Amino acid sequence: MIGSLDSHQKSIPVARLVARAGMGALMIWAGGGCHKVTLQEIAPEQIETTLFLIGDAGEPDPRQVGAPLDSLTAQASAAPERSIIVFLGDNVYPGGIPAEGAAEWADARRRLEAQVRAIPPGVRGIFLPGNHDWADETAFGLYSIRLQEQMIASLAQGRNVRLIPGNGCPGPVPVDVGRLRFIALDTQWWLHSYIVRDSSSRCPTITMAAVTAALRSEVNPPGEGRVVLVGGHHPLMTGGAHGGYCGVTGPYRRFGGSPQDILSGENRTMRDSIRSAFADHPPIAYVAGHDHTLQVLRGGRNVHYILVSGAGSPSKTECAVRMRESYYVTQHRAGFMRVDIMKGKGVLLRVFRYPATKHGALAYTRWLERR
Amino acid sequence: MIAARILLGVALAAPCLLSAQVAQPLPVATEEATPIGAIPPMPLPMPASRDQNYWGFRFQYGERNERAGPEDLFAVAGGVDYQLRGGSIFGLTGGYQGRRNCQTTSSCGHALFGARGRFNVFTGGPTVASIIGDESATTTLGTEVGFGYAPSVAPGVNACTIDAGVPFSIAMMQTVRVVTFVTPGVVWDVNCSADQTSHNRSGFVGFGIGLQQLFVRGLDVNFGAQRIFRGATGLQFGISVSWVRLP
């Protein structure tokens, strides 16, 4: 690698080298830096827990397991005892799990099975519900999400792989592993226009106010040095299509009234409620999918970072715009994010995108919490 | 780089579009005296989160040289902008325009004021991104409307302008954003101190290059130039430094 770099530089005129060096120094000064922390640079024994974040993976290729799922599997296999894979919703396109006997049932199962199989033995798997999992936002949604929960349990065959929050409940559901507290939310519950509970629901929270109050409590776990990440399918901020970008109609989609978009009133109510719950104890990151891109964003006052990792299906990747809040954006690339919670102190984010470039799949790294 | 070359080509071609005109009888033509002609153009605002509205502040300095008259013009201005839901922007401008080497005993300068709305029509970029090989490239296309007023440009002359343009910009790179932009448009100007109803109409093109998120997230520095296709109004160029307050 070093040799090839040197030979390349020799062919560049001095003026261009100076210009590049100047621009490079400018960019480093500007705050991002260019150094990517590779997998080899962190000793495995320094890592306490590794969280893999992949969203909108419900459209796997029916012919082969390709990137990014196979790459994620390989990385998680390296240390299964400390790895958690979180599927950030939209686990089954286009309409979640249908009733058994429907023509689409077998294919829906195939889509879910590809993801459950990507979780190596010994690795904990968490599936979050997305809008497509709620029967693509239709009246069958509550029943479809229950069917998905049952199917995941069946496919897991006793392994620690499950859909949370379960039973169509909104959450929050905390998962504590060492320093890490991961809080799962079902954000589609907030946006669904049809039935969200029935006589068999046993949800501890059944109103928006109760969910917000519970979340406010959960983001402040006991203990020193805790790392809190909150996960839901819908992002709190995005430069993608659901954020009103990427198209002539983008800024005006609010008039269409889709609650799936950032500019809609229902979506804003949900985001404001979630953010208000973070006010006293901002979590280190809110992680989501929904937009089929990879984005690392500055969260603002109530949350330090917002991560959008919805590029789990290579055939569904989309456009994303770099905003003022963006640290990193890539569009039309599949991939996933990896968050390493270090022992003692330090949280490292790495973004892997596919197809990989000549420099590899690692596209971006950032210390979310300095060591 | 391709985008930069295209913009440079447009800029170089602009003088060819100038038609021979009668020299301006005023020391400062009305279309040169208000913000549209006095201070440098800027690209459309960088997209931002739809969650917030943003306040921005800017300082601008512009010069207009190669004019028919003996005096070059300079202008300094400050402005405040309000970016609505991370997209469209509404701004107010106030400043001063002066004449270099001014020989007259009367005033050699005047105040200028303006209001401008800039509306994002399209913000995306995968097509351009694939052409220039930068995954983070963003293409922005919009419309803008501006109103300008400059009192006492010359004895008995107050300048009023209305302009409309179609700004287009391409931003590239991940950390410090390099943005190239071009804004073709039309400006209508009139001496609004008189009871006259006749007005002039001129085409113009603004263009330039800028650095967004320089050193801090909200700081942008843009270098802009502008040609008004009317008479020997010369070339205006200058620098704009703007800062957006992020929550």
Side-chain angles (χ1 to χ4, degrees):
Chain A
M1 177 64 83
I2 293 172
S4 64
L5 184 65
D6 286 345
S7 62
H8 176 61
Q9 286 182 341
K10 281 173 187 168
S11 65
I12 299 173
V14 173
R16 283 181 64 188
L17 265 180
V18 171
R20 284 188 177 189
M23 184 58 80
L26 192 69
M27 290 171 67
I28 291 169
W29 189 19
C34 296
H35 178 67
K36 293 174 186 153
V37 183
T38 63
L39 292 173
Q40 291 74 30
E41 285 181 60
I42 300 290
E45 60 271 18
Q46 296 176 344
I47 302 172
E48 183 181 278
T49 308
T50 300
L51 203 60
F52 294 93
L53 305 169
I54 184 167
D56 304 72
E59 186 123 330
D61 190 318
R63 287 160 287 274
Q64 61 179 1
V65 180
L69 271 183
D70 58 351
S71 180
L72 182 148
T73 303
Q75 287 194 33
S77 300
E81 70 286 352
R82 60 166 163 79
S83 295
I84 303 170
I85 298 177
V86 181
F87 291 89
L88 294 163
D90 284 0
N91 312 313
V92 180
Y93 283 107
I97 305 295
E100 194 162 356
E104 298 83 6
W105 188 87
D107 191 63
R109 188 179 194 279
R110 188 266 306 174
R111 290 164 189 263
L112 200 55
E113 189 174 19
Q115 295 162 78
V116 174
R117 281 191 174 181
I119 303 169
V123 173
R124 178 183 291 201
I126 293 172
F127 286 81
L128 302 184
N131 54 304
H132 285 274
D133 302 314
W134 278 72
D136 199 16
E137 307 142 44
T138 61
F140 189 64
L142 179 63
Y143 309 103
S144 181
I145 202 68
R146 285 173 176 161
L147 289 174
Q148 184 172 146
E149 184 182 5
Q150 293 163 13
M151 188 176 282
I152 287 171
S154 167
L155 291 167
Q157 295 179 325
R159 292 188 293 147
N160 193 354
V161 177
R162 59 190 176 130
L163 182 139
I164 52 172
N167 201 23
C169 296
V173 176
V175 176
D176 291 306
V177 181
R179 289 207 299 139
L180 170 70
R181 166 167 283 191
F182 179 78
I183 300 172
L185 297 173
D186 185 343
T187 47
Q188 178 58 25
W189 178 89
W190 291 73
L191 308 174
H192 205 58
S193 301
Y194 301 91
I195 182 172
V196 294
R197 66 172 180 269
D198 60 11
S199 57
S200 62
S201 297
R202 301 280 187 275
C203 302
T205 50
I206 58 169
T207 64
M208 294 177 181
V211 174
T212 306
L215 183 59
R216 185 176 293 114
S217 169
E218 299 291 1
V219 294
N220 184 27
E224 288 294 309
R226 299 298 299 271
V227 175
V228 178
L229 281 91
V230 180
H233 177 66
H234 296 85
L236 298 182
M237 182 192 300
T238 174
H242 287 296
Y245 291 110
C246 300
V248 176
T249 59
Y252 313 105
R253 279 168 61 150
R254 80 185 86 169
F255 302 119
S258 170
Q260 299 301 318
D261 289 350
I262 287 275
L263 287 165
S264 72
E266 300 96 321
N267 197 293
R268 182 164 192 124
T269 299
M270 176 191 72
R271 297 197 319 277
D272 287 349
S273 299
I274 292 173
R275 277 185 177 274
S276 72
F278 296 164
D280 293 336
H281 303 281
I284 195 164
Y286 176 89
V287 302
H290 200 41
D291 262 330
H292 305 160
T293 62
L294 297 166
Q295 302 176 58
V296 181
L297 303 159
R298 177 183 186 271
R301 275 189 295 266
N302 295 353
V303 57
H304 296 293
Y305 294 94
I306 292 172
L307 310 179
V308 179
S309 182
S313 297
S315 61
K316 295 188 82 69
T317 56
E318 292 176 335
C319 154
V321 163
R322 187 180 173 88
M323 302 187 296
R324 259 192 209 283
E325 290 85 353
S326 305
Y327 289 111
Y328 173 79
V329 171
T330 191
Q331 53 185 338
H332 288 285
R333 293 288 183 276
F336 63 89
M337 296 186 184
R338 170 179 173 148
V339 179
D340 287 306
I341 291 93
M342 315 302 289
K343 289 177 181 170
K345 198 170 192 318
V347 176
L348 178 63
L349 167 71
R350 283 177 275 200
V351 181
F352 296 86
R353 65 149 184 227
Y354 302 90
T357 67
K358 60 184 177 183
H359 303 295
L362 179 59
Y364 179 78
T365 67
R366 186 175 193 92
W367 285 98
L368 304 184
E369 179 190 80
R370 287 273 165 202
R371 296 186 78 183
Chain B
M1 289 306 294
I2 292 172
R5 286 176 184 172
I6 292 170
L7 295 179
L8 186 61
V10 171
L12 294 176
C16 303
L17 302 174
L18 291 171
S19 57
Q21 298 282 331
V22 178
Q24 294 291 330
L26 299 173
V28 180
T30 46
E31 72 272 20
E32 296 175 312
T34 63
I36 184 63
I39 57 177
M42 293 174 66
L44 282 165
M46 188 173 178
S49 165
R50 303 294 194 186
D51 274 345
Q52 282 105 25
N53 302 320
Y54 300 82
W55 285 103
F57 306 91
R58 66 189 139 79
F59 172 80
Q60 295 178 273
Y61 176 82
E63 292 196 0
R64 184 169 284 281
N65 298 330
E66 302 173 15
R67 303 172 63 244
E71 298 164 339
D72 291 336
L73 305 176
F74 70 93
V76 291
V80 58
D81 296 310
Y82 188 68
Q83 190 176 8
L84 193 65
R85 293 282 194 106
S88 300
I89 201 163
F90 302 90
L92 296 173
T93 302
Y96 173 83
Q97 185 177 54
R99 308 201 298 271
R100 293 197 191 285
N101 307 315
C102 177
Q103 301 296 318
T104 61
T105 54
S106 61
S107 171
C108 288
H110 60 87
L112 51 86
F113 305 96
R116 182 164 300 276
R118 321 186 80 199
F119 310 96
N120 284 24
V121 174
F122 172 87
T123 308
T127 305
V128 170
S130 62
I131 293 171
I132 64 178
D134 181 348
E135 288 172 25
S136 68
T138 301
T139 308
T140 310
L141 177 69
T143 59
E144 68 174 35
V145 178
F147 302 92
Y149 174 67
S152 305
V153 173
V157 177
N158 294 341
C160 291
T161 57
I162 298 175
D163 64 88
V166 183
F168 174 77
S169 62
I170 298 172
M172 296 169 283
M173 301 174 69
Q174 284 279 1
T175 308
V176 176
R177 299 284 277 171
V178 178
V179 58
T180 51
F181 60 94
V182 61
T183 305
V186 179
V187 55
W188 291 266
D189 64 279
V190 64
N191 174 5
C192 49
S193 66
D195 291 334
Q196 66 179 68
T197 54
S198 62
H199 61 269
N200 300 307
R201 185 182 65 191
S202 315
F204 70 86
V205 61
F207 52 91
I209 189 166
L211 298 172
Q212 295 175 329
Q213 300 191 314
L214 189 63
F215 309 130
V216 294
R217 250 160 213 287
L219 184 64
D220 299 345
V221 176
N222 292 292
F223 301 92
Q226 185 205 58
R227 286 261 188 205
I228 296 177
F229 303 141
R230 181 176 167 210
T233 50
L235 176 70
Q236 185 240 82
F237 62 92
I239 184 172
S240 302
V241 179
S242 60
W243 177 74
V244 175
R245 183 180 173 276
L246 294 179

